[in-house]
Amino acid sequence: RNNQVVKSYLSSIITLYSSISSLIALSINMAETPSKDNVQINNNASKGAEEQPDSNTKEEWEQQRDSHKAKGDDAFRSRNFSNAIAEYSHAITFDPELHILYSNRSAAYLSNGEKSRALADAKKCVDLKPDFVKGHSRLAAAMLSLGRWNEAKGVYRHILKDLDKDNSVAKKGLEDCRTRELKAKEMEMEMLRGAQKQKAEEEEKKKQQEEEEQKKSSKTDNNGAKEENSKGQGDDDDDGDDDD
C-alpha cells in the first residue's frame, strides 16, 4: 500500500512538471513570433532606412573627400579660387577617379586665370566620364580661353549632336566662338593694316631722306664747281697784268 501511495505521488509530480514545461514553451514561442502589427512596423522602419541612408555608413575616406569638396564649393562661390583649387586637390587625393572633382577644379583654374591647367583637368574629366556634359563644356571653355576656336566649336557641336541637343550652354558657346573668331580676324586685319601703314610711312621717310641727301650732294657739287670757276677767272686776271 505504501508503494502505491508513492507511485501516485510521483505520477502527480510528473504531470505537474509536464504542464509547467508546456506553459514555458508556449511563452517562449509567443515572444519569438512577432505579431502582424509588429511585422508591419518593422518593415516600414526598414523601408525608411533605405530611403534615407545614414551618412555614417560612408567610409572614412568618402567622408574626407566630400568634406574637402564641400569646402571647395564654398570657396568657389566666394570667388576664393585659390582655396577652391586647394580643397578640390585634397579631395582628389582621396578619390582620384571621381570625374566631378576634376570638372570643378577645371572651373576654378579657369576662373583663376590658369588656362592650361583648366584644359588638362577638363580632359581628365571627360576621359573618366565621356558622357558627362558639363565636363565637355569645361573642355570647350578652356579651349575658347586659349583662342582655340575650331577645337572649342568641335566640342560644343559634339555636345549638341551626341549628348544633349537642347543644351543651352553649348548653343551659347557656339555663338561665343563665332563672335570671338570674328573679333580675332578683325584685330588681325587691323594689325595687318597697321603694319602696312607703318611700312609705307617708313619707306616714305626713307625716300625723303634719300632726296634730301641727294639735294645736299648736288648743292655741294655746285659749290665746288663755282669755286673752281672763280679760281680759274682769278688766274686769267693775273696773266693780263703781266702783259702790261
Side-chain angles (χ1 to χ4, degrees):
R1 186 175 179 181
N2 290 333
N3 289 335
Q4 289 179 349
V5 171
V6 170
K7 288 180 180 180
S8 177
Y9 178 73
L10 290 174
S11 178
S12 298
I13 292 173
I14 291 170
T15 301
L16 179 61
Y17 178 78
S18 297
S19 299
I20 294 172
S21 297
S22 297
L23 288 172
I24 292 172
L26 180 62
S27 298
I28 292 172
N29 187 47
M30 290 179 65
E32 290 179 348
T33 304
S35 66
K36 290 183 179 179
D37 292 338
N38 288 336
V39 169
Q40 185 65 34
I41 291 171
N42 290 335
N43 287 340
N44 291 337
S46 298
K47 289 181 180 178
E50 290 175 1
E51 292 173 358
Q52 298 179 352
D54 189 355
S55 61
N56 291 330
T57 60
K58 287 185 178 181
E59 297 289 341
E60 183 179 354
W61 65 268
E62 291 177 306
Q63 295 179 28
Q64 291 281 356
R65 175 200 65 194
D66 293 347
S67 174
H68 285 296
K69 179 185 176 297
K71 290 177 182 177
D73 293 342
D74 290 340
F76 187 88
R77 283 190 288 267
S78 301
R79 303 186 65 80
N80 192 339
F81 303 121
S82 295
N83 279 0
I85 292 167
E87 291 297 339
Y88 291 138
S89 298
H90 283 310
I92 287 171
T93 63
F94 290 98
D95 193 354
E97 300 300 314
L98 185 59
H99 63 283
I100 198 169
L101 297 176
Y102 294 96
S103 174
N104 289 5
R105 193 172 69 172
S106 176
Y109 272 136
L110 189 59
S111 299
N112 205 41
E114 300 178 63
K115 301 175 184 179
S116 296
R117 290 182 174 179
L119 179 62
D121 268 5
K123 286 182 177 179
K124 179 67 174 179
C125 174
V126 297
D127 284 344
L128 291 170
K129 187 76 171 174
D131 60 346
F132 185 52
V133 175
K134 185 174 284 188
H136 288 279
S137 296
R138 303 285 194 215
L139 180 61
M143 290 174 172
L144 191 60
S145 71
L146 291 165
R148 294 160 64 168
W149 324 114
N150 289 331
E151 293 177 79
K153 283 192 295 185
V155 174
Y156 284 131
R157 286 170 180 162
H158 168 63
I159 293 173
L160 295 171
K161 180 182 177 182
D162 302 319
L163 300 176
D164 183 4
K165 65 179 181 179
D166 298 320
N167 189 272
S168 59
V169 174
K171 291 179 179 179
K172 186 178 183 301
L174 274 178
E175 290 300 321
D176 288 343
C177 284
R178 296 189 186 101
T179 301
R180 296 194 186 191
E181 192 172 12
L182 287 173
K183 286 183 178 180
K185 287 181 178 179
E186 289 175 0
M187 290 179 63
E188 186 178 350
M189 291 300 297
E190 185 66 26
M191 290 175 65
L192 180 60
R193 286 192 292 267
Q196 290 174 341
K197 182 179 179 181
Q198 184 178 359
K199 184 179 179 180
E201 290 175 350
E202 289 176 353
E203 289 178 350
E204 181 65 24
K205 185 177 180 181
K206 183 179 179 181
K207 183 179 179 181
Q208 291 176 357
Q209 289 175 346
E210 289 176 350
E211 290 177 352
E212 289 178 1
E213 288 177 359
Q214 287 179 355
K215 287 179 181 180
K216 289 179 181 179
S217 178
S218 297
K219 186 176 181 181
T220 301
D221 292 342
N222 290 334
N223 289 336
K226 287 180 181 179
E227 289 178 359
E228 289 292 331
N229 291 334
S230 298
K231 185 177 180 182
Q233 290 177 359
D235 291 340
D236 290 341
D237 293 339
D238 290 340
D239 289 342
D241 291 339
D242 291 339
D243 289 340
D244 293 338

